Amino acid sequence: MTTALMIEILTGDITKLEVDAIVNAANSTLLGGGGVDGAIHAAAGPLLHDYCRTLKGCRCGEAKLSPGFDVPARRIIHTVGPVWKDGTHYEAALLKACYRSSFELALQYEVRTIAFPAISTGAYGYPKQEAAEIAVAAMLEYQDRFERIIACCFSERDAMLYLSTLQAMVTIGDRPQFIPR
Ligand code: ADP
């Protein structure tokens, strides 16, 4: 039996995606930073910064919502990933919490199409393979409740890692249980 997956793996810039919501790998101030956070703030414009000021920060593993302002996505979900130390500081639980909090907030606002960057895998140093396993597991858990879930990778190499992770997680025996979109 084959089942269609609602998960897509893309290579590209998340700020360009026309979806109901993009997720930002923010820092706890929510006032902008480097990497994907800097790109989202630059693309959304200064009104995002003003709006985020009113959100009064966000704790690691939690998520907060803003409008998209000048990005094509209608909303931005800001979540704060864990900084990788050595794996014994609740990093995995906190990263899982980021995906779950973002999905739960998305459901509250009737988001049907959502795109995620690889949270914590840049400046925060989370090992990419372990992070991809957590991301894909969360996406599989929530896929029934969304029309499209996009893993927006910033490099072809990261996209290949997501693809092999997804294949490993949905393959039973040697028969793939999905149709890639
Ligand atoms: P963190 O601080 O959570 O590690 P970073 O922004 O440094 O966040 O990196 C998270 C991931 O986002 C990395 O894989 C990085 O390559 C990727 N990234 C950076 N810019 C963009 C972008 N414009 N679109 C999608 N992904 C991006």
CSV table of all heavy atoms in Angstrom, one decimal, residues 2-3 5-6 18 26 38-39 44 48 57 73 83 85-86 89 93 95 103 112 118 130 134 137 150 163 166 168:
chain,number,residue,atom,x,y,z
A,2,THR,N,0.5,2.3,-0.7
A,2,THR,CA,1.2,3.5,-0.7
A,2,THR,C,0.3,4.6,-0.2
A,2,THR,O,-0.9,4.6,-0.4
A,2,THR,CB,1.7,3.9,-2.1
A,2,THR,OG1,0.6,3.8,-3.0
A,2,THR,CG2,2.9,3.1,-2.6
A,3,THR,N,1.0,5.6,0.5
A,3,THR,CA,0.2,6.7,1.1
A,3,THR,C,0.9,8.0,0.6
A,3,THR,O,2.1,8.0,0.7
A,3,THR,CB,0.3,6.7,2.6
A,3,THR,OG1,0.1,5.4,3.0
A,3,THR,CG2,-0.7,7.6,3.2
A,5,LEU,N,2.5,11.5,0.9
A,5,LEU,CA,3.0,12.3,2.0
A,5,LEU,C,2.7,13.8,1.7
A,5,LEU,O,2.7,14.2,0.6
A,5,LEU,CB,4.5,12.2,2.1
A,5,LEU,CG,5.1,11.1,2.9
A,5,LEU,CD1,6.6,11.3,3.0
A,5,LEU,CD2,4.6,11.0,4.3
A,6,MET,N,2.4,14.5,2.8
A,6,MET,CA,2.2,16.0,2.6
A,6,MET,C,3.5,16.7,2.8
A,6,MET,O,3.5,17.9,2.9
A,6,MET,CB,1.2,16.4,3.7
A,6,MET,CG,-0.2,15.8,3.5
A,6,MET,SD,-0.8,16.3,1.8
A,6,MET,CE,-1.3,14.7,1.2
A,18,GLU,N,5.4,31.1,-0.9
A,18,GLU,CA,4.0,31.6,-0.8
A,18,GLU,C,3.2,30.5,-0.1
A,18,GLU,O,2.7,29.6,-0.7
A,18,GLU,CB,3.5,31.8,-2.2
A,18,GLU,CG,4.1,33.0,-2.9
A,18,GLU,CD,3.5,33.4,-4.2
A,18,GLU,OE1,2.3,33.1,-4.4
A,18,GLU,OE2,4.2,34.0,-5.0
A,26,ALA,N,14.4,31.9,15.4
A,26,ALA,CA,14.7,33.2,16.0
A,26,ALA,C,15.5,33.0,17.2
A,26,ALA,O,15.8,31.9,17.6
A,26,ALA,CB,13.3,33.9,16.4
A,38,GLY,N,17.8,36.8,10.2
A,38,GLY,CA,18.2,38.1,9.5
A,38,GLY,C,17.5,38.2,8.2
A,38,GLY,O,17.0,39.2,7.8
A,39,ALA,N,17.5,37.1,7.4
A,39,ALA,CA,16.9,37.1,6.1
A,39,ALA,C,15.4,37.4,6.2
A,39,ALA,O,14.8,38.1,5.4
A,39,ALA,CB,17.1,35.7,5.4
A,44,ALA,N,10.9,40.9,5.4
A,44,ALA,CA,9.6,41.3,5.9
A,44,ALA,C,9.5,42.9,6.2
A,44,ALA,O,8.4,43.4,6.2
A,44,ALA,CB,9.2,40.6,7.2
A,48,LEU,N,8.0,44.4,10.9
A,48,LEU,CA,8.2,43.1,11.6
A,48,LEU,C,8.9,43.3,13.0
A,48,LEU,O,8.5,42.9,14.0
A,48,LEU,CB,8.9,42.0,10.8
A,48,LEU,CG,9.2,40.7,11.6
A,48,LEU,CD1,7.8,40.1,12.0
A,48,LEU,CD2,10.0,39.8,10.7
A,57,GLY,N,9.6,38.9,23.6
A,57,GLY,CA,10.5,37.7,23.6
A,57,GLY,C,9.8,36.4,23.6
A,57,GLY,O,8.6,36.3,23.5
A,73,ALA,N,4.5,35.0,2.5
A,73,ALA,CA,3.7,34.2,3.5
A,73,ALA,C,2.9,35.1,4.4
A,73,ALA,O,3.3,36.2,4.7
A,73,ALA,CB,4.7,33.5,4.4
A,83,VAL,N,20.5,26.0,21.7
A,83,VAL,CA,21.9,26.1,21.3
A,83,VAL,C,22.5,24.7,21.7
A,83,VAL,O,22.3,24.2,22.8
A,83,VAL,CB,22.7,27.2,22.1
A,83,VAL,CG1,24.2,27.2,21.8
A,83,VAL,CG2,22.1,28.5,21.8
A,85,LYS,N,24.9,22.1,23.0
A,85,LYS,CA,26.1,22.1,23.8
A,85,LYS,C,26.8,20.7,23.7
A,85,LYS,O,27.8,20.6,23.0
A,85,LYS,CB,25.7,22.3,25.3
A,85,LYS,CG,25.2,23.7,25.5
A,85,LYS,CD,25.1,24.1,27.0
A,85,LYS,CE,24.4,25.5,27.1
A,85,LYS,NZ,23.0,25.5,27.0
A,86,ASP,N,26.3,19.7,24.3
A,86,ASP,CA,26.8,18.3,24.1
A,86,ASP,C,25.8,17.2,24.0
A,86,ASP,O,26.1,16.1,24.1
A,86,ASP,CB,27.8,18.0,25.2
A,86,ASP,CG,27.1,18.2,26.6
A,86,ASP,OD1,25.9,18.3,26.6
A,86,ASP,OD2,27.8,18.1,27.6
A,89,HIS,N,21.9,18.5,27.5
A,89,HIS,CA,21.3,19.7,28.0
A,89,HIS,C,19.9,19.9,27.5
A,89,HIS,O,19.4,21.0,27.2
A,89,HIS,CB,22.1,21.0,27.8
A,89,HIS,CG,23.4,21.0,28.6
A,89,HIS,ND1,24.5,20.2,28.3
A,89,HIS,CD2,23.7,21.6,29.8
A,89,HIS,CE1,25.4,20.4,29.2
A,89,HIS,NE2,25.0,21.2,30.1
A,93,ALA,N,14.9,17.4,23.4
A,93,ALA,CA,13.5,17.7,23.8
A,93,ALA,C,13.1,19.1,23.4
A,93,ALA,O,12.0,19.4,23.0
A,93,ALA,CB,13.4,17.5,25.3
A,95,LEU,N,14.3,20.9,20.9
A,95,LEU,CA,14.1,21.0,19.4
A,95,LEU,C,12.8,20.4,19.0
A,95,LEU,O,12.0,21.0,18.2
A,95,LEU,CB,15.3,20.4,18.7
A,95,LEU,CG,15.3,20.6,17.2
A,95,LEU,CD1,15.3,22.1,16.8
A,95,LEU,CD2,16.5,19.9,16.5
A,103,PHE,N,3.8,23.9,15.1
A,103,PHE,CA,2.6,23.2,14.5
A,103,PHE,C,1.3,23.6,15.3
A,103,PHE,O,0.3,23.8,14.7
A,103,PHE,CB,2.8,21.7,14.5
A,103,PHE,CG,3.6,21.2,13.3
A,103,PHE,CD1,4.7,20.4,13.5
A,103,PHE,CD2,3.2,21.6,12.0
A,103,PHE,CE1,5.4,19.9,12.4
A,103,PHE,CE2,3.9,21.1,10.9
A,103,PHE,CZ,5.0,20.3,11.1
A,112,ARG,N,-2.7,26.1,6.7
A,112,ARG,CA,-2.8,24.8,6.0
A,112,ARG,C,-1.5,24.5,5.3
A,112,ARG,O,-1.3,23.3,5.0
A,112,ARG,CB,-4.0,24.9,5.0
A,112,ARG,CG,-5.3,25.3,5.6
A,112,ARG,CD,-5.9,24.2,6.5
A,112,ARG,NE,-6.1,23.0,5.7
A,112,ARG,CZ,-5.9,21.8,6.3
A,112,ARG,NH1,-5.5,21.6,7.5
A,112,ARG,NH2,-6.0,20.7,5.5
A,118,ALA,N,15.8,24.6,8.8
A,118,ALA,CA,16.4,23.5,9.7
A,118,ALA,C,16.8,24.2,11.0
A,118,ALA,O,17.9,24.7,11.2
A,118,ALA,CB,17.6,22.9,9.0
A,130,GLU,N,20.9,14.6,13.4
A,130,GLU,CA,20.0,14.4,14.5
A,130,GLU,C,18.9,15.5,14.4
A,130,GLU,O,17.7,15.1,14.7
A,130,GLU,CB,20.8,14.6,15.8
A,130,GLU,CG,21.7,13.5,16.2
A,130,GLU,CD,23.1,13.5,15.6
A,130,GLU,OE1,23.3,14.2,14.6
A,130,GLU,OE2,24.0,12.8,16.2
A,134,ILE,N,14.7,14.7,14.1
A,134,ILE,CA,13.6,15.4,14.9
A,134,ILE,C,12.6,16.1,14.1
A,134,ILE,O,11.4,16.0,14.3
A,134,ILE,CB,14.3,16.3,16.0
A,134,ILE,CG1,15.0,15.4,17.0
A,134,ILE,CG2,13.3,17.2,16.6
A,134,ILE,CD1,15.9,16.1,18.0
A,137,ALA,N,10.4,13.6,12.0
A,137,ALA,CA,9.5,12.9,12.9
A,137,ALA,C,8.3,13.8,13.3
A,137,ALA,O,7.2,13.4,13.2
A,137,ALA,CB,10.2,12.4,14.2
A,150,ILE,N,6.5,22.0,4.3
A,150,ILE,CA,7.7,22.1,3.5
A,150,ILE,C,8.9,22.2,4.4
A,150,ILE,O,9.0,23.0,5.3
A,150,ILE,CB,7.7,23.4,2.6
A,150,ILE,CG1,6.5,23.3,1.6
A,150,ILE,CG2,9.0,23.6,1.9
A,150,ILE,CD1,6.2,24.6,0.9
A,163,LEU,N,16.0,14.2,2.7
A,163,LEU,CA,15.4,13.1,1.9
A,163,LEU,C,15.8,11.7,2.4
A,163,LEU,O,14.9,10.9,2.5
A,163,LEU,CB,15.8,13.3,0.4
A,163,LEU,CG,15.1,12.4,-0.6
A,163,LEU,CD1,13.6,12.6,-0.6
A,163,LEU,CD2,15.7,12.6,-2.0
A,166,LEU,N,14.0,11.1,5.6
A,166,LEU,CA,12.5,10.8,5.4
A,166,LEU,C,12.4,9.4,4.8
A,166,LEU,O,11.5,8.6,5.3
A,166,LEU,CB,12.0,11.9,4.4
A,166,LEU,CG,10.5,11.7,4.0
A,166,LEU,CD1,9.6,11.9,5.3
A,166,LEU,CD2,10.1,12.8,3.0
A,168,ALA,N,14.3,6.9,5.2
A,168,ALA,CA,14.6,5.9,6.3
A,168,ALA,C,13.4,5.7,7.2
A,168,ALA,O,13.1,4.6,7.7
A,168,ALA,CB,15.9,6.2,7.0
